[in-house]
């Protein structure tokens, strides 16, 4: 059904358009707002003889999903504007019938399925998001790989788990990988990094250890959600400066979480060091790795940082 909605001043133009659109078109009587609300669940398209601002305010509470919303256009003296749904082609058709100029969008919607996916996973997208989103909206076959089973929103039927002749591949993973053509990597912020160091350690030495997450651990540094350490090391310049440096070089920020040593002492680690136990009150492995592991485990137990374990 195509709904054509107009007030008394535009009723004549609306009636003419309804006739040109054919038997699917309906021109309801009465006020525009209640008519739109009543017919909305049954509409495949809608024409509003309203200015764009009024039309947007009218339909905004009714919109749910670009893929299922009706194609909505508004009409004034000179233009037919595509407002919602898959309305570009419909706007051009109505503009031709009314001898007006069509105003359509030029690319994927900002609320495309990929934008929703990136937002839900608190992720970084590595690749041509617009081109991949355009392929999905065009109905092309797109393969999505999710090896760590991150929770996903509803996806269009052309986004599949496996198959041949896919135009794009989407990979959701927090592990490092090389960039490739027609591959979109979505990197969720999942990693909580436990940090420990000896007193007086430099930011350079702590930063070098963090860089090994990428070089040796095979992890994508953009996936770091938070750092964690013992409260006794909360003001350790090497740790604080290294975390700030990480944020600067990666164009992001990550919280430094700290926890009391007595809480960390309750968390078991293999091969604890009596030397560190006596100095800090926790049983640690040498080189501070136990502080890192305990802080990381404690951070994940709070639920505030989320993510998975990294030491």
């Amino acid at each position: 059904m195509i709904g054509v909605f107009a007030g008394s001043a535009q009723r004549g133009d609306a009636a003419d358009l309804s006739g040109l659109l054919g038997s699917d078109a309906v021109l309801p009587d009465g006020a525009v707002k209640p008519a739109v609300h009543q017919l909305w669940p049954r509409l495949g398209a809608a024409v509003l003889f309203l200015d764009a601002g009024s039309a947007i305010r009218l339909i905004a509470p009714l919109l749910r999903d670009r893929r299922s919303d009706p194609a909505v256009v508004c009409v004034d003296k000179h233009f037919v504007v595509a407002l919602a749904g898959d309305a570009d082609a419909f706007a051009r058709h109505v503009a031709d019938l009314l001898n007006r100029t069509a105003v359509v969008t030029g690319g994927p919607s900002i609320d495309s399925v990929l934008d929703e996916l990136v937002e839900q996973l608190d992720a970084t997208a590595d690749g041509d998001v617009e081109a991949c989103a355009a392929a999905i909206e065009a109905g092309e076959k797109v393969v999505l790989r999710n090896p760590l089973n991150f929770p996903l929103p509803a996806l269009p039927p052309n986004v599949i788990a496996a198959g041949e002749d896919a135009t794009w591949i989407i990979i959701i993973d927090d592990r490092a990988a090389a960039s490739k053509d027609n591959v979109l990597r979505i990197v969720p912020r999942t990693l909580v990094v436990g940090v420990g160091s000896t007193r007086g350690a430099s930011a350079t030495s702590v930063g070098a250890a963090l860089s090994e997450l990428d070089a040796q651990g095979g992890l994508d540094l953009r996936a770091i959600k938070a750092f964690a350490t013992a409260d006794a090391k909360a003001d350790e310049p090497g740790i604080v400066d290294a975390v700030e440096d990480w944020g600067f070089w990666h164009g992001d920020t990550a919280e430094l979480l700290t926890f009391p040593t007595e809480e960390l002492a309750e968390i078991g680690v293999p091969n604890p060091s009596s030397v560190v136990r006596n100095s800090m009150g926790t049983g640690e492995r040498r080189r501070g790795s136990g502080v890192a592991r305990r802080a990381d485990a404690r951070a994940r137990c709070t639920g505030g940082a989320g993510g998975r374990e990294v030491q």
Side-chain angles (χ1 to χ4, degrees), residues 21-150:
L21 288 173
S23 59
D24 288 341
V26 174
L27 178 60
D29 295 326
V32 170
K33 183 175 180 179
V36 170
H37 281 250
Q38 181 179 2
L39 291 179
W40 185 265
R42 300 163 56 192
L43 294 177
V47 181
L48 305 175
F49 279 80
L50 298 171
D51 65 271
S54 298
I56 290 170
R57 287 189 293 272
L58 173 60
I59 67 172
L62 304 173
L63 297 174
R64 294 294 179 267
D65 186 283
R66 187 174 188 268
R67 296 178 296 276
S68 59
D69 290 331
V72 181
V73 303
C74 69
V75 177
D76 65 15
K77 292 182 179 180
H78 305 289
F79 302 101
V80 177
V81 183
L83 290 182
D86 190 8
D88 289 0
F90 185 57
R92 293 188 181 96
H93 178 55
V94 173
D96 288 342
L97 294 176
L98 296 177
N99 195 25
R100 288 170 168 83
T101 301
V103 179
V104 301
T105 57
S109 168
I110 194 170
D111 61 349
S112 71
V113 65
L114 293 182
D115 294 304
E116 295 173 10
L117 184 60
V118 169
E119 181 179 359
Q120 175 173 315
L121 296 177
D122 187 20
T124 298
D126 182 6
D128 194 336
V129 177
E130 289 191 0
C132 186
I136 293 173
E137 293 193 0
E140 298 176 16
K141 185 185 297 183
V142 174
V143 167
L144 185 144
R145 297 173 183 167
N146 184 19
L148 298 179
N149 295 318
F150 291 106

Side-chain angles (χ1 to χ4, degrees), residues 152-291:
L152 305 178
L155 298 171
N158 57 310
V159 179
I160 56 179
E164 301 294 333
D165 302 324
T167 57
W168 276 86
I169 297 175
I170 301 171
I171 301 174
I172 304 175
D173 204 342
D174 56 13
R175 293 170 291 188
S179 299
K180 296 181 179 179
D181 292 339
N182 283 48
V183 173
L184 178 68
R185 293 188 63 247
I186 295 178
V187 184
R189 283 163 54 92
T190 58
L191 304 181
V192 179
V193 181
V195 184
S197 74
T198 57
R199 283 292 178 188
S202 67
T204 300
S205 62
V206 177
L210 296 180
S211 67
E212 293 181 2
L213 291 171
D214 186 4
Q216 297 184 16
L219 299 171
D220 194 314
L221 298 185
R222 291 170 295 187
I224 294 177
K225 187 177 184 70
F227 296 90
T229 193
D231 59 0
K233 296 181 179 291
D235 59 353
E236 186 66 38
I239 293 177
V240 174
D241 292 345
V243 171
E244 291 181 354
D245 288 347
W246 180 90
F248 174 81
W249 289 110
H250 291 85
D252 203 348
T253 58
E255 187 178 3
L256 178 59
L257 306 173
T258 61
F259 300 96
T261 54
E262 57 268 22
E263 289 188 17
L264 299 185
E266 298 176 359
I267 301 174
V269 296
N271 305 317
S273 167
S274 60
V275 174
V276 181
R277 179 190 295 114
N278 292 334
S279 63
M280 291 192 62
T282 65
E284 303 295 347
R285 294 189 294 165
R286 288 174 174 79
R287 295 200 302 266
S289 61
V291 171

